[in-house]
Amino acid sequence: MKQNIYDNPVFFKKYIALRDSGITYNDFVEQPAIKSLISDLTNKSVLDLGCGTGHFSTYCIENGASRVLGVDISKNMIDEATKRNRHQRIEYICSPIEDISLANQTFDVIVSSLAIHYVENYTKLMKKINSALNENGQFIFSTEHPLTTSRKGMNNWILDENGEKMHWALDNYQEEGRRDHTWYVDGVVVYHRTISTLINTLIESGFVLEQVIEPEATVKGLPKLPKLINERRRPSFIIIKAKKQSQHNE
Amino acid sequence: MKQNIYDNPVFFKKYIALRDSGITYNDFVEQPAIKSLISDLTNKSVLDLGCGTGHFSTYCIENGASRVLGVDISKNMIDEATKRNRHQRIEYICSPIEDISLANQTFDVIVSSLAIHYVENYTKLMKKINSALNENGQFIFSTEHPLTTSRKGMNNWILDENGEKMHWALDNYQEEGRRDHTWYVDGVVVYHRTISTLINTLIESGFVLEQVIEPEATVKGLPKLPKLINERRRPSFIIIKAKKQSQHNE
């Protein structure tokens, strides 16, 4: 049974309030990094997996994309997206991203921002994404860094007696699978995968790896959210850019 | 000034005694993993960067390599290699691996086992290795895992009052550069690099990434060296396989 935490009313309300503040890890760490990896979108068709409220779908249209299909598991999110980011060249579909039925649609660019750690079957998703890309298509995604998801119980900073962060506690790295985290509510389910699984499955699914970013905070973001300095001590996210392997390079 | 810790007599004696025991992280974690990534060596020319006592050079010859060039910074190691692993198709050269002068020699396979974390200029080394490979040449290397090198002072297990390992302490991940570790002697210099630097520099130097292994202990090794169980909790090594990008795939 897939978890759909964004349809939990308590979680959803708090999440939307956070995102609307404009002072988040997304604004100052993850989004600048993922956008830096996206090449020219002019006349490109885009699939946005885990589109949330559709801000990224709109970003693609504003940067020249010919059309965007936004997909999200949460009805709350899709409702919000159709209110906030309605556009004649954006279509929204409510579906778990790994179950999306694309018929014969293919895309030039597929992006996924902080959604893939919610998906249990990473291999199936990578194969689906690969087959939904056009020749030379790009796939760019961000996910929680394995350093952040690995420890069972909870990954966290170890504090000294004055409450200062001493170091990050790491454990259980090779034990892939479900982790139950607390984020506004208990029992937010994410899936831990190692760096090697993230990369090797991508390659085995027909991608050529192009670039990896473990982002730090932007210079502008740091004064607004000072705790982002800790991204230097251990990254929260990893962002991967790959392209579909060309058939005749085999 | 490059450090040459293996020519430190105290270090060298202890290191050789350890390796000769046959009960090491090399035997049960790193070597099985790196060997699993090496395809057929029949009639292949091999460059072994950081060859140590030449055991891996001999392994290559035994597996069909046509010739091996072994390179090591340490005169002690090269002396030992010429005693222990002399072979008419193996040549040994004493040189820092990043400074090796290869004239116009090129190779089908370049391997480097646990040497690259001693090299300060990783970019220069990757470019040199790429240009020393034949078309479709393979490059396979192991290095200390960034999780192991990142924390300044010392990376280590945090113990509870009974001496049991609670978790691994991680810190300073984004601060690349020199770390002074203690291993038999104080001040063993290694260089910390992030996962993204390891991978992106490789790709920018003209390689296609093929596979990443973060190895655990072998089933055979675990009973002989029980502490290897901790490799499940955080990997000591990372092993990367890449091939030289073909010119006409551009």
Side-chain angles (χ1 to χ4, degrees):
Chain A
M1 172 61 195
K2 288 175 184 73
Q3 188 178 49
N4 176 358
I5 194 70
Y6 293 88
D7 279 349
N8 173 314
V10 176
F11 182 93
F12 183 72
K13 198 174 162 189
K14 292 191 174 174
Y15 177 82
I16 289 291
L18 175 74
R19 289 302 296 266
D20 284 351
S21 75
I23 301 179
T24 68
Y25 282 72
N26 305 68
D27 296 295
F28 303 137
V29 183
E30 185 266 344
Q31 283 286 304
I34 200 168
K35 286 174 179 168
S36 78
L37 289 183
I38 295 177
S39 322
D40 184 21
L41 288 169
T42 309
N43 296 323
K44 298 281 172 68
S45 56
V46 178
L47 175 60
D48 181 1
L49 294 174
C51 63
T53 61
H55 57 282
F56 195 82
S57 298
T58 293
Y59 170 86
C60 293
I61 291 292
E62 287 171 354
N63 284 272
S66 58
R67 71 180 183 102
V68 180
L69 177 60
V71 182
D72 206 284
I73 193 173
S74 159
K75 190 175 176 308
N76 278 345
M77 284 294 185
I78 293 295
D79 287 349
E80 208 65 26
T82 47
K83 276 185 228 158
R84 295 181 178 211
N85 287 291
R86 181 192 294 271
H87 190 283
Q88 60 181 5
R89 286 184 278 131
I90 305 178
E91 179 189 356
Y92 293 109
I93 294 179
C94 187
S95 164
I97 61 176
E98 65 273 38
D99 296 335
I100 179 78
S101 173
L102 294 167
N104 292 321
Q105 288 183 86
T106 56
F107 300 85
D108 301 316
V109 178
I110 300 182
V111 293
S112 181
S113 165
L114 297 179
I116 285 177
H117 48 261
Y118 296 123
V119 174
E120 185 171 9
N121 194 332
Y122 177 71
T123 305
K124 179 182 158 193
L125 181 63
M126 289 302 110
K127 287 184 177 155
K128 180 168 276 204
I129 289 171
N130 191 269
S131 65
L133 274 174
N134 293 330
E135 179 95 355
N136 293 315
Q138 294 281 348
F139 174 42
I140 299 122
F141 73 99
S142 61
T143 188
E144 288 194 357
H145 199 293
L147 301 186
T148 307
T149 51
S150 71
R151 189 163 172 238
K152 287 182 176 177
M154 196 65 193
N155 280 284
N156 46 30
W157 291 104
I158 304 301
L159 308 178
D160 67 14
E161 60 260 38
N162 302 315
E164 296 293 321
K165 293 178 170 68
M166 291 198 296
H167 59 256
W168 180 259
L170 182 84
D171 210 339
N172 313 112
Y173 183 81
Q174 303 285 7
E175 294 176 60
E176 299 189 307
R178 176 175 170 155
R179 301 288 190 272
D180 288 41
H181 284 182
T182 298
W183 186 36
Y184 300 132
V185 296
D186 286 339
V188 177
V189 175
V190 301
Y191 292 90
H192 170 63
R193 287 177 269 267
T194 63
I195 294 274
S196 26
T197 291
L198 286 175
I199 291 176
N200 295 341
T201 306
L202 190 76
I203 294 170
E204 288 159 14
S205 302
F207 287 100
V208 177
L209 184 67
E210 294 198 314
Q211 196 176 335
V212 175
I213 298 184
E214 295 161 302
E216 295 184 48
T218 59
V219 174
K220 267 172 127 174
L222 209 45
K224 294 182 186 159
L225 196 57
K227 69 177 176 179
L228 293 181
I229 192 69
N230 297 315
E231 296 301 294
R232 276 194 74 66
R233 301 178 66 176
R234 72 92 190 78
S236 293
F237 311 115
I238 188 166
I239 303 172
I240 294 179
K241 179 180 185 179
K243 75 170 177 205
K244 182 168 176 151
Q245 183 163 27
S246 159
Q247 299 301 322
H248 41 260
N249 283 1
E250 282 296 281
Chain B
M1 171 64 194
K2 290 174 182 76
Q3 188 179 49
N4 177 357
I5 195 70
Y6 294 88
D7 279 350
N8 173 313
V10 175
F11 182 94
F12 183 74
K13 197 173 162 189
K14 290 189 174 173
Y15 177 82
I16 290 291
L18 176 75
R19 290 302 298 265
D20 284 351
S21 75
I23 300 177
T24 69
Y25 281 72
N26 306 65
D27 295 295
F28 302 137
V29 183
E30 185 265 345
Q31 284 286 304
I34 201 168
K35 285 174 180 169
S36 78
L37 289 183
I38 295 177
S39 322
D40 184 19
L41 288 170
T42 309
N43 295 324
K44 298 282 171 68
S45 55
V46 179
L47 176 60
D48 181 1
L49 293 174
C51 64
T53 61
H55 55 281
F56 195 82
S57 299
T58 293
Y59 170 86
C60 293
I61 291 292
E62 287 171 353
N63 284 274
S66 57
R67 71 179 183 102
V68 180
L69 177 59
V71 181
D72 206 284
I73 194 174
S74 157
K75 188 173 176 311
N76 277 345
M77 284 293 185
I78 294 294
D79 286 349
E80 208 66 27
T82 47
K83 276 185 228 158
R84 295 179 178 213
N85 287 292
R86 182 191 292 273
H87 191 281
Q88 60 180 6
R89 287 185 278 131
I90 306 177
E91 180 189 355
Y92 294 109
I93 293 179
C94 187
S95 163
I97 62 175
E98 65 273 38
D99 296 335
I100 179 78
S101 173
L102 294 167
N104 293 319
Q105 288 183 85
T106 56
F107 300 86
D108 301 316
V109 177
I110 300 182
V111 293
S112 182
S113 164
L114 297 179
I116 283 175
H117 48 261
Y118 296 124
V119 174
E120 186 172 8
N121 194 332
Y122 177 70
T123 305
K124 179 182 158 193
L125 181 63
M126 289 302 110
K127 287 183 177 157
K128 180 169 275 204
I129 289 171
N130 191 269
S131 65
L133 273 174
N134 294 330
E135 179 93 356
N136 294 315
Q138 296 281 348
F139 174 42
I140 300 121
F141 73 99
S142 60
T143 188
E144 287 193 359
H145 200 292
L147 301 186
T148 307
T149 52
S150 72
R151 188 164 172 238
K152 288 182 176 179
M154 197 66 193
N155 280 285
N156 44 30
W157 290 103
I158 305 300
L159 307 178
D160 67 14
E161 61 259 39
N162 303 315
E164 296 293 322
K165 292 179 171 67
M166 289 198 297
H167 59 257
W168 180 258
L170 182 82
D171 210 339
N172 314 112
Y173 183 79
Q174 303 286 8
E175 295 176 59
E176 299 190 307
R178 177 175 168 155
R179 300 289 191 269
D180 289 42
H181 284 181
T182 297
W183 187 33
Y184 300 134
V185 297
D186 286 338
V188 177
V189 175
V190 303
Y191 292 90
H192 170 63
R193 286 177 271 267
T194 63
I195 295 275
S196 25
T197 292
L198 285 176
I199 289 175
N200 295 342
T201 306
L202 190 76
I203 294 170
E204 288 158 14
S205 303
F207 286 100
V208 177
L209 185 67
E210 295 197 316
Q211 197 177 335
V212 175
I213 299 183
E214 295 163 301
E216 296 185 48
T218 58
V219 174
K220 267 172 126 175
L222 209 44
K224 293 182 188 159
L225 195 58
K227 69 177 176 179
L228 293 180
I229 193 70
N230 296 316
E231 296 301 293
R232 274 193 75 67
R233 302 178 66 177
R234 72 92 190 79
S236 294
F237 311 114
I238 187 165
I239 303 172
I240 294 179
K241 180 179 185 178
K243 77 170 175 205
K244 182 168 176 151
Q245 183 165 25
S246 160
Q247 298 301 323
H248 42 259
N249 282 2
E250 283 296 281

